[in-house]
Structure formats: structure tokens, C-alpha cells
Amino acid sequence: MTEKTQNQMWGGRFAAGPDAIMEAINASIGFDKRMAAQDIAGSRAHAAMLAAQGIISDSDAAAIREGLLTVLSEIEGGTFAFSTALEDIHMNVEARLKELIGEPAGRLHTARSRNDQVATDFKLWVRDQLDAAEGGLVALLRALLGQAEAGADWVMPGFTHLQTAQPVTWGHHMMAYVEMFARDLSRVRDARARMNESPLGAAALAGTGFPIDRDLTAEALGFDRPSANSLDAVSDRDFALEFLGVASICAMHLSRFAEELVIWSSAQFRFVTLSDRFSTGSSIMPQKKNPDAAELIRAKVGRIMGANVGLMTVMKGLPLTYSKDMQEDKEQVFDAADNWMLALAAMEGMVRDMTANRDALAAAAGSGFSTATDLADWLVRELGLPFRDAHHITGALVAKAEAKGCDLPDLSLADMQEVNPDITDGVFGVLGVENSVNSRMSYGGTAPAQVRMQIDRWKERLT
Ligand code: ARG
């Protein structure tokens, strides 16, 4: 048996190297090389701790830590030769370290295993992504606040069932998304706080007999504390699932907003004009400006949610502790993270650049009998009618307007009095869209004064 056919990390027990297909199914280096920086940070912290505890010598630790920096610069510089035979990032890095510094490299793996190592690397990677998502969400929230502030009192139709319901303000609509994305931000922060425990030192599964100091490595890597159960530490992928769960909900929000932008930018709506920077043209129809960024954002939830379901399915039947199934955790999380960050950035850019068409919004706000509820409320307030009766009368007035092909404010007083003789011309005061939105002063309502109060509250919270 030559060195080449045996695996240099566990060759001792093996008489032959792996079949090519075994190597192909087993190797993760093709994707886990994305965790190189985290792997090297974890190993450097581990080596320093081993020396501090007198488990390896200071000079070995220094050589290891220095050598690892060289490995990192080779990887970052693109000169590192990754090997599939070495299976994953952990063994690729260690093998190169051995080439660089010789014998001390073999001491790095004392008191640890690839099981706690991979859990640590992956946690650090996911934690970075949560931080990136936090930045992306804050930027998006700021862009939404900018839109809300510009049009705090611009009227537009509010919809239920995508049918005109009641007039609302543009600012109010933008602030609805502020609430949604702010909940995503809070979920990101919660997930980060919960996941921030260090698996390093759990070793293969049972801990180690070496006198390690897990607090030291936890602190060096920015964790709040070491995880308290070594079996759980190496078999836990909740942090990745929670990441995907948070990402899925946020992607669903992004998708809903994207859907509105697709509708709003159509020739039939014209509520918004998207900037050229976030639109594309058609190669055959010269008049077209397509909302491709919005459409792609709308679609991203598919793969992100898919990753969530995929990893949940991988994990659901696994006995404690580590199983190789868990190597299938990374690609889905990498893909979901890449696409979540891209969708956040694209949405932020689109929101920042888009123009709300105030006139089109106002014209639409007044159509579709949008002030029918205000009319019914007026009948209750001024004529003392029970709301149910007022609702019925208003329905009859809407039917009358519909038959005449006009909107509610276009009915004459005589038309109105045919339905209820007690109606006075005071009713026309509430049929105006501006009056309608200004009257909705209940907390969280659409009145511009309420909307501005919420804008101020969020601006303060985001600084
Ligand atoms: N490449 C492996 C993974 O991603 C590393 C851990 C391997 N551990 C083991 N006991 N084989 O999960």
C-alpha cells in the first residue's frame, strides 16, 4: 500500500483507497471550501487554546497559527490546490499545513474531531450571513421609510381580495412593509442570539480527556459561551434551519412586495415607475419595460423555502449524534443565503429608485366606490341608524351609481334621497377621498398624521 492509495488522515486501518464513486459521493470540498476562512479561524483559536493549556508547546502552536495564515492567503489568492481525495476543507487545510510546517501540523487535531470542527465552521459561516442579512434589512427599511416620508399623505386605493376597499395613503402602504421587514430583522437578531454557542471542544461526540478550555475558544471566536452538551453540539443543525426559516419568511415578504410592484408598474395600474436601472427591455416589443428584478425576487422564495424543506427532511430521522447525512446541510444553506442577500439588495435598489405616480394613485383612490364605508359611517353618525341598516342603504346607493355608470360622489342629492329621504348634502363631505383618509386617526390607521407618527418612531429606532 502506497501513501497515495491510503487516506493520509486515517490510512492506518485501511488496506485500500476508495472507489472513484465513493470519493465522488463522499467529497464535500467542492462546496465546503466556502468555509475556509471560518475553518482556519477555528483552528487558530484551537491551537492557541491547546498551548495555553499546556497540551501542545508554544512553539508548535506558533508554527501552526502562522502556517494557517499562509494557507488562508493561498486560498484567498487562488493558488491553493484543492484535492477531492482529501474530501473536505478540514483535511485540505490540515494537509497543506503539514506540507508547510511539517510535524507540528499533526498536533493540531488533538482534542477535537471534524464533528465539532464542521459544526463550528458552519455556525461561524451562518452567523456571518445573519449579520449580512441584518445589514440588508436595515438598508431596505431605510429605503421604505424614504418612500413613506415622501408620500405620507398621497392617497391610493387600499385593497382586500385585490378589489378596491377603502382609500389609504402611500405612506401607510410603505409602512406596512416596514412592519413586515422589521419583524424579519427581529427574527434575524433572535436567531443570532440563540445560535451563538460554541460547539468547539465537543470533539467527536463525548468531549475529550485533554484538559481543554472551551471558554477560551468560545471567546476567541466571538461566541457567547460553549454549548453545554457535547452530543447536542455535534448533532445540532437548528441554527441552519432557523436561518432558513427566517430567510423563508423574509423571502415570502419580498415576494409579496415584488408581486405588488409587478402589478403596480403595469400599464393598467401605473402606480409606480421602476427605474431603468432595475428594469429590462424586450427584444421584440419596443414599448416594453419589464420588471424583471421584481419577478426574480418573487421567484427566489421557491429555492429558499425549498432549502428549508430540504434540510428539515435531511435532519428529521437522524439518531444522535453526527451522521454523514449532515454534510448535505451546506449547499442548500449557501444557495439560500446567496439568493436571499441578492433579493434584499435588489429590492432595496428598486425601492430607492422607484417613483410613485401621485396622480395615478389619486385617480384610482377615488374610483371603485372606495368611500362607501365612509358613507355608511356617516348614516350611523348623522342619522343614528344601526350600522347594519346603514350598510344596506349604502349598498343600494352603490348599485344605483353602478347602474348610472358613475361613482358615489357623482350621485345627486335627489338620487340619494330616493334611497333614504333623510340624507342631506352634508354627506358629500365624507365622500371625498382626502376626508376619508384624514378621518382614520385610530392608532395604526391610514391618516397621514398617524403615518407620520409611525415614520418618526421607526426612524428613531433605526438610528
Ligand atoms: N465534511 C464533513 C461534513 O461536512 C465533515 C465532518 C466529517 N465527520 C466525520 N465523522 N466523517 O459534515
Side-chain angles (χ1 to χ4, degrees):
M1 245 337 82
T2 68
E3 275 241 339
K4 261 199 157 14
T5 50
Q6 282 176 355
N7 184 298
Q8 50 180 294
M9 298 297 166
W10 60 69
R13 190 204 182 288
F14 282 74
D19 188 274
I21 298 202
M22 177 61 205
E23 192 171 290
I25 195 172
N26 201 37
S28 54
I29 188 62
F31 49 87
D32 66 16
K33 59 176 155 205
R34 282 192 71 170
M35 307 192 305
Q38 289 77 11
D39 191 70
I40 286 169
S43 289
R44 294 188 80 239
H46 183 68
M49 181 279 291
L50 291 177
Q53 297 299 104
I55 300 167
I56 65 174
S57 71
D58 286 342
S59 61
D60 282 349
I64 289 169
R65 284 168 54 79
E66 196 53 38
L68 284 168
L69 287 183
T70 306
V71 177
L72 181 61
S73 69
E74 289 177 357
I75 292 174
E76 284 174 344
T79 59
F80 190 96
F82 290 104
S83 150
T84 310
L86 287 168
E87 196 180 320
D88 57 26
I89 186 62
H90 324 295
M91 297 200 291
N92 268 268
V93 168
E94 194 185 319
R96 177 65 184 140
L97 184 66
K98 181 146 192 244
E99 285 172 10
L100 288 169
I101 67 167
E103 192 256 13
R107 301 187 187 278
L108 171 60
H109 214 52
T110 313
R112 80 169 182 189
S113 144
R114 278 188 299 155
N115 296 347
D116 58 340
Q117 192 179 355
V118 72
T120 305
D121 294 3
F122 197 29
K123 263 197 170 180
L124 291 172
W125 196 91
V126 169
R127 196 177 68 185
D128 284 349
Q129 296 299 309
L130 285 170
D131 291 342
E134 170 163 9
L137 279 163
V138 168
L140 175 55
L141 287 168
R142 294 219 168 100
L144 285 163
L145 280 169
Q147 285 287 347
E149 208 166 16
D153 58 356
W154 297 359
V155 290
M156 67 178 283
F159 300 91
T160 58
H161 314 267
L162 198 56
Q163 307 288 318
T164 300
Q166 294 172 354
V168 297
T169 48
W170 171 259
H172 198 210
H173 202 112
M174 291 300 107
M175 291 305 289
Y177 283 104
V178 166
E179 294 290 333
M180 290 154 78
F181 291 118
R183 282 196 297 275
D184 293 329
L185 179 61
S186 124
R187 272 185 279 271
V188 164
R189 289 173 176 162
D190 287 351
R192 193 196 195 283
R194 194 164 20 255
M195 64 100 78
N196 205 28
E197 294 185 341
S198 172
L200 196 56
L205 75 166
T208 174
F210 290 99
I212 61 171
D213 182 346
R214 294 190 61 205
D215 288 297
L216 208 58
T217 45
E219 201 192 333
L221 295 169
F223 288 111
D224 296 328
R225 64 193 81 84
S227 53
N229 182 301
S230 63
L231 304 177
D232 176 51
V234 296
S235 71
D236 166 42
R237 292 296 181 271
D238 289 4
F239 60 94
L241 287 166
E242 223 174 319
F243 174 80
L244 294 174
V246 172
S248 296
I249 294 175
C250 180
M252 175 272 288
H253 289 154
L254 288 166
S255 183
R256 292 182 71 176
F257 192 20
E259 167 70 0
E260 296 212 299
L261 294 178
V262 170
I263 295 173
W264 289 354
S265 61
S266 68
Q268 288 69 27
F269 269 75
R270 290 189 190 283
F271 282 8
V272 297
T273 305
L274 300 176
S275 76
D276 290 354
R277 298 185 340 130
F278 286 94
S279 311
T280 61
S282 159
S283 52
I284 178 164
M285 295 165 283
Q287 86 282 11
K288 291 199 74 177
K289 191 165 137 184
N290 294 326
D292 293 49
E295 295 167 272
L296 288 162
I297 292 169
R298 184 172 60 185
K300 292 296 184 195
V301 65
R303 62 203 292 170
I304 294 172
M305 186 70 208
N308 194 3
V309 174
L311 183 55
M312 193 70 85
T313 312
V314 166
M315 294 304 296
K316 76 168 191 57
L318 300 185
L320 296 183
T321 56
Y322 178 87
S323 296
K324 196 61 173 266
D325 309 52
M326 289 160 72
Q327 181 168 287
E328 290 287 314
D329 56 3
K330 289 168 208 71
E331 282 165 292
Q332 321 206 35
V333 171
F334 293 165
D335 183 74
D338 290 344
N339 284 285
W340 185 22
M341 301 315 147
L342 195 53
L344 279 171
M347 185 58 97
E348 189 229 329
M350 236 182 349
V351 171
R352 208 170 275 290
D353 276 18
M354 75 183 177
T355 316
N357 302 325
R358 188 176 183 176
D359 295 339
L361 291 169
S367 68
F369 314 109
S370 67
T371 52
T373 313
D374 300 275
L375 172 53
D377 288 349
W378 184 87
L379 294 169
V380 169
R381 256 195 334 270
E382 301 300 321
L383 306 187
L385 296 174
F387 183 78
R388 281 291 153 226
D389 296 352
H391 185 283
H392 190 78
I393 292 167
T394 306
L397 288 167
V398 166
K400 199 180 243 312
E402 207 161 30
K404 292 193 149 198
C406 69
D407 255 304
L408 280 174
D410 307 322
L411 288 175
S412 67
L413 183 60
D415 290 333
M416 300 238 188
Q417 286 175 341
E418 268 175 40
V419 175
N420 184 300
D422 299 332
I423 297 178
T424 67
D425 63 1
V427 74
F428 291 101
V430 299
L431 297 182
V433 168
E434 308 278 341
N435 291 336
S436 169
V437 297
N438 284 326
S439 74
R440 294 198 148 65
M441 270 297 287
S442 52
Y443 180 80
T446 204
Q450 280 294 325
V451 171
R452 289 202 178 94
M453 201 174 86
Q454 294 297 334
I455 293 172
D456 290 345
R457 186 171 73 88
W458 278 113
K459 275 169 77 175
E460 204 169 297
R461 285 183 68 171
L462 285 173
T463 47

